[in-house]
Amino acid sequence: MKVVVFGCGRTGSNLALSLSNQGHDVTVVEQNSSAIARLGTQHRCEVVIGSGLDYDVLERAGIANADVFFALTRGDNTNIMAAQIAKLRYNCPKVCVKVADPLRADAYRKLGYFCVNPSSLSAGLMLDWLLDNPYQTIDTYNRLPKELEV
């Protein structure tokens, strides 16, 4: 599978390495060249330095032929915009976006984006671990708590 990962922070680097180790064709897009060190020295990922919001950068990363695009920077606005570009301009079949704000994540989920809210995911996993409940699907953890619904 051809995968483009935008953002080489802790999440992006971990995902890129895991996918690469499983034999997938992974390209990491990162603005900060020093962040690439998170991939270690033996990685098999292709690296493109630049903004994942820049069409030229995305095209050098192979977005036109990508099966999956992950937007995993630390900025919600950046991630959401990059996800929209990947989906709407390049028709990438699968787009996953990390959104820290649970309300925004819920709004974009309703627009058809697969959003991962790290806080909701962590809280749900911790709750199930504490209560010895079986772990559930990511969609279960990603739900907006009723108290936050608008």
Side-chain angles (χ1 to χ4, degrees), residues 103-133:
L103 295 173
R104 277 188 186 174
D106 189 58
Y108 276 87
R109 202 172 297 115
K110 289 175 181 170
L111 292 174
Y113 290 89
F114 182 75
C115 297
V116 174
N117 177 260
S119 300
S120 298
L121 183 61
S122 298
L125 287 168
M126 289 175 189
L127 179 65
D128 284 342
W129 170 80
L130 176 65
L131 300 177
D132 288 326
N133 290 333

Side-chain angles (χ1 to χ4, degrees), residues 23-71:
H24 298 286
D25 177 12
V26 178
T27 301
V28 175
V29 175
E30 173 59 51
Q31 283 186 295
N32 179 0
S33 61
S34 63
I36 299 304
R38 290 189 178 100
L39 295 174
T41 58
Q42 304 296 317
H43 71 87
R44 294 184 304 244
C45 302
E46 184 176 331
V47 173
V48 175
I49 301 298
S51 171
L53 301 178
D54 183 319
Y55 298 161
D56 291 336
V57 169
L58 288 171
E59 288 172 14
R60 276 190 280 135
I63 187 72
N65 299 315
D67 300 299
V68 185
F69 179 81
F70 289 94

